[in-house]
Amino acid sequence: MPSSLRPPAPRPCESCPYRRDVPAGIWASEEYAKLRRYDADTPDQPTGLFQCHQADADSVVRRVCAGWAGCHEGEELLALRLAVLDGSMDATTYRAVVEYVSPVPLFPSGRDAADHGEAGIDAQDETARRVINKITRMRNDLTQ
């Protein structure tokens, strides 16, 4: 049975917290806190894959976050290794994640991305509010 988990998109979406040009404060602090955990040494990282925020939580077909794939050394990601071992990711998708290079600038670490995002939580600018509204329209599992 083929994996329903798709490889990263060709480019991180405009709301990806790993992008350097994403407005600050568009995600909740809990979402930003997740980014830092993938910077840990491999055995101390989360076991779950970081998936794209653009899909609904109950979406059947999910995609690995392109920003996550581009920010981190894929072969050092515990979640990626475990996904292959448990069969939730096939070898082709694994290789696509490991070899992914973002065409847009990304933060060099989850910590840097989280610091940027959290700095704007209490003071979103107009660009951030536009992105938040777009996400809310696209995802039926979010409420305002």
Side-chain angles (χ1 to χ4, degrees), residues 71-85:
C71 177
H72 299 286
E73 294 294 325
E75 292 173 335
E76 300 302 320
L77 290 167
L78 178 61
L80 201 56
R81 295 176 184 185
L82 294 175
V84 173
L85 289 175

Side-chain angles (χ1 to χ4, degrees), residues 75-127:
E75 292 173 335
E76 300 302 320
L77 290 167
L78 178 61
L80 201 56
R81 295 176 184 185
L82 294 175
V84 173
L85 289 175
D86 74 13
S88 60
M89 178 181 290
D90 60 33
T92 302
T93 301
Y94 171 83
R95 186 60 31 212
V97 174
V98 169
E99 295 175 356
Y100 182 81
V101 176
S102 175
V104 298
L106 302 174
F107 286 101
S109 69
R111 185 194 79 233
D112 291 334
D115 289 348
H116 165 76
E118 288 175 337
I121 288 176
D122 294 325
Q124 292 107 357
D125 64 15
E126 182 57 36
T127 304

Side-chain angles (χ1 to χ4, degrees), residues 6-59:
R6 295 172 41 206
R11 65 187 305 113
C13 58
E14 77 169 330
S15 63
C16 181
Y18 285 100
R19 283 180 66 142
R20 284 187 173 270
D21 63 349
V22 72
I26 63 169
W27 298 104
S29 61
E30 303 83 49
E31 295 301 311
Y32 290 119
K34 292 176 185 177
L35 306 181
R36 289 183 183 92
R37 297 178 56 216
Y38 290 100
D39 291 345
D41 290 336
T42 304
D44 299 323
Q45 293 174 9
T47 57
L49 292 166
F50 197 83
Q51 298 177 28
C52 181
H53 282 86
Q54 290 295 329
D56 288 342
D58 57 353
S59 178

